[in-house]
Amino acid sequence: MADVTLRNVRKQFGTFVALEKLDIDIRSGEFVALLGPSGCGKSTTLRMLAGLEFPTSGEISIGGRVVNDVAPGKRDIAMVFQSYALYPHMTVGENIEYPLKKRGVKATERKAAVLRAAEMLQLEPLLDRKPKQLSGGQQQRVALGRALVRDPQVFLLDEPLSNLDAKLRSYMRAELIELHRRLGKTMVYVTHDQLEAMTMASRIAVMFDGRLQQFDTPAAVYNRPANRFVASFIGTPSMNQLEGAVDGSTFRVAGHAIPIDRSRFVHALGSGTFVLGVRPEFVTIGGGDLPARIRLVENTGHEQIVTLELTDGTRLLARTDAARRLDVGQSVQIGFHPDALHLFAPEETGRRLNKDDAASVIPMRSR
Ligand SMILES: Nc1ncnc2c1ncn2[C@@H]1O[C@H](COP(=O)(O)OP(=O)(O)OP(=O)(O)O)[C@@H](O)[C@H]1O
Ligand SMILES: [Mg+2]
């Protein structure tokens, strides 16, 4: 069993608070992504799990054991860094073998373990090469191999694919998913790439500004983002967020009233400014009653991302079929799918105000 738990963890560097009130429960065998923008505290969290950094307060446990005072080497974890940190003077085989040698494992066992890891990562033909004779993706696989041979309870990976080109990254993404499936080990994976988090993780911990914003499945963070930050960080292009006022059963924006179903939102809305959220796939061009002008059409081959401007200058995005004929400058009437509306409190991390029963889950994609 290798559950990983952070309990009310706080981390300060001098007077700077890098992490606050961090509570995360990772189940044994789970693949969890720590996702968030640069500087939000992802690496610091991972380094604390590894024992390379110590919490200012709070408790960290691995496999039911509090490890706050346990040295990195005694935590039964293996960490893979963004920079591969391979030893340049050693061959691929020696690099992979090194952690076992350090641990005093017998030579025959070491050789067998290296071969097993090399086979799993398709590194056998490269075992005698030096790191500088390898591509970035191959070096990354060696770094993974070095973590694999240690057969740890928990793998900690810090942006392991960020140095690779797009094609290799998507290849390695699939490889890692497969590896996790085969090994069944707990994996904590740091990334600022939401696509990686969405496709690889069973649950995503979305972080911002040293705080956990939401910890849930990819479908839940997409369909029921806890707040405005999560709503804008998850999904490409981002969810549209329009500032306006709730007035009875309408939301007023740009001098127009958009009908909303109040029963879908928390009762005590009160009055004042709110933010209406709608993903670009749920904005329909034509058929609605909100006047807008087309400002930009970006055709990606299989779809078009359309930039629309409301009469007060507010811009929003719609996603439509690639085949549809749309012209820049054209006046259109737009509408929003009524079941796909989110309402948020106005501040940057303003809470989502929808009532959240399972039935309110919006399909990931529909047009
Ligand atoms: N040793 C340190 N001393 C002082 N501040 C630090 C130290 N390590 C990290 N920080 C600060 O803590 C915050 C979180 O850093 P961290 O490296 O965890 O961010 P991150 O989410 O991994 O970002 P990135 O995506 O850029 O890697 C940052 O503001 C960073 O400047
Ligand atoms: Mg980092």
Side-chain angles (χ1 to χ4, degrees):
M1 289 294 282
D3 298 354
V4 174
T5 310
L6 293 117
R7 193 70 70 224
N8 200 14
V9 168
R10 177 184 172 86
K11 176 64 183 175
Q12 249 176 272
F13 293 106
T15 55
F16 176 73
V17 180
L19 291 165
E20 200 157 22
K21 295 199 178 89
L22 200 56
D23 278 301
I24 302 181
D25 275 291
I26 298 169
R27 295 188 281 263
S28 185
E30 201 176 6
F31 193 131
V32 163
L34 306 182
L35 174 71
S38 184
C40 72
K42 307 178 295 292
S43 295
T44 304
T45 306
L46 205 70
R47 289 169 59 79
M48 287 194 299
L49 294 179
L52 303 171
E53 208 70 77
F54 297 94
T56 307
S57 61
E59 204 173 82
I60 296 179
S61 4
I62 297 176
R65 171 173 72 135
V66 176
V67 294
N68 283 37
D69 299 319
V70 177
K74 299 236 153 61
R75 291 190 179 199
D76 206 5
I77 50 108
M79 184 150 168
V80 179
F81 299 90
Q82 174 180 353
S83 59
Y84 323 121
L86 301 177
Y87 300 108
H89 58 286
M90 293 185 192
T91 64
V92 167
E94 288 161 350
N95 262 286
I96 299 175
E97 186 183 2
Y98 184 72
L100 299 180
K101 214 168 180 173
K102 222 172 67 180
R103 216 194 269 172
V105 176
K106 278 200 305 223
T108 47
E109 276 177 47
R110 291 200 311 254
K111 289 279 177 262
V114 169
L115 284 178
R116 257 199 322 273
E119 193 190 345
M120 207 176 266
L121 296 164
Q122 291 158 28
L123 286 168
E124 293 136 303
L126 307 175
L127 282 173
D128 294 325
R129 290 211 202 158
K130 294 278 173 63
K132 68 169 188 299
Q133 298 169 300
L134 302 177
S135 72
Q138 291 167 337
Q139 290 186 45
Q140 190 59 71
R141 296 215 300 272
V142 178
L144 272 171
R146 207 170 45 181
L148 274 183
V149 289
R150 301 175 51 182
D151 192 28
Q153 285 301 313
V154 180
F155 285 92
L156 305 173
L157 304 120
D158 194 349
E159 311 230 18
L161 309 185
S162 61
N163 284 344
L164 309 181
D165 65 47
K167 197 170 161 203
L168 202 51
R169 211 157 54 216
S170 87
Y171 171 77
M172 285 302 292
R173 211 161 61 210
E175 291 287 292
L176 276 174
I177 295 170
E178 171 66 17
L179 197 64
H180 174 253
R181 202 179 54 76
R182 251 187 296 165
L183 298 175
K185 294 288 172 71
T186 312
M187 293 199 179
V188 188
Y189 187 98
V190 163
T191 180
H192 62 263
D193 180 340
Q194 54 123 350
L195 182 68
E196 273 181 18
M198 291 293 280
T199 53
M200 298 171 84
S202 54
R203 284 192 297 164
I204 303 175
V206 186
M207 299 171 67
F208 174 59
D209 209 12
R211 282 173 185 265
L212 182 66
Q213 305 293 320
Q214 188 168 6
F215 183 34
D216 216 328
T217 61
V221 293
Y222 189 85
N223 290 309
R224 300 192 299 275
N227 62 34
R228 278 187 73 185
F229 173 78
V230 178
S232 65
F233 199 76
I234 304 278
T236 322
S238 279
M239 182 188 286
N240 295 297
Q241 299 194 9
L242 305 171
E243 265 196 25
V246 173
D247 179 6
S249 291
T250 62
F251 184 84
R252 300 195 69 85
V253 62
H256 287 268
I258 298 162
I260 57 168
D261 176 0
R262 290 234 11 175
S263 70
R264 291 174 47 84
F265 306 107
V266 297
H267 287 304
L269 277 183
S271 55
T273 304
F274 290 94
V275 171
L276 189 72
V278 59
R279 293 209 179 271
E281 55 266 42
F282 298 112
V283 177
T284 52
I285 301 177
D289 46 19
L290 193 59
R293 197 177 284 277
I294 295 177
R295 285 297 176 203
L296 183 67
V297 180
E298 294 163 283
N299 197 320
T300 65
H302 74 287
E303 65 180 9
Q304 297 180 101
I305 306 299
V306 184
T307 305
L308 300 156
E309 192 175 272
L310 303 183
T311 49
D312 69 344
T314 303
R315 292 198 167 200
L316 69 162
L317 300 175
R319 205 172 198 153
T320 69
D321 247 292
R324 191 148 167 212
R325 171 81 198 271
L326 295 165
D327 295 314
V328 172
Q330 190 182 340
S331 288
V332 288
Q333 301 282 329
I334 65 170
F336 304 147
H337 193 303
D339 297 335
L341 296 178
H342 307 258
L343 203 59
F344 300 96
E347 58 272 23
E348 192 181 12
T349 53
R351 196 164 66 85
R352 183 166 175 267
L353 301 167
N354 294 53
K355 279 188 208 158
D356 265 334
D357 45 54
S360 74
V361 176
I362 302 155
M364 287 282 276
R365 202 62 197 282
S366 77
R367 251 182 259 154

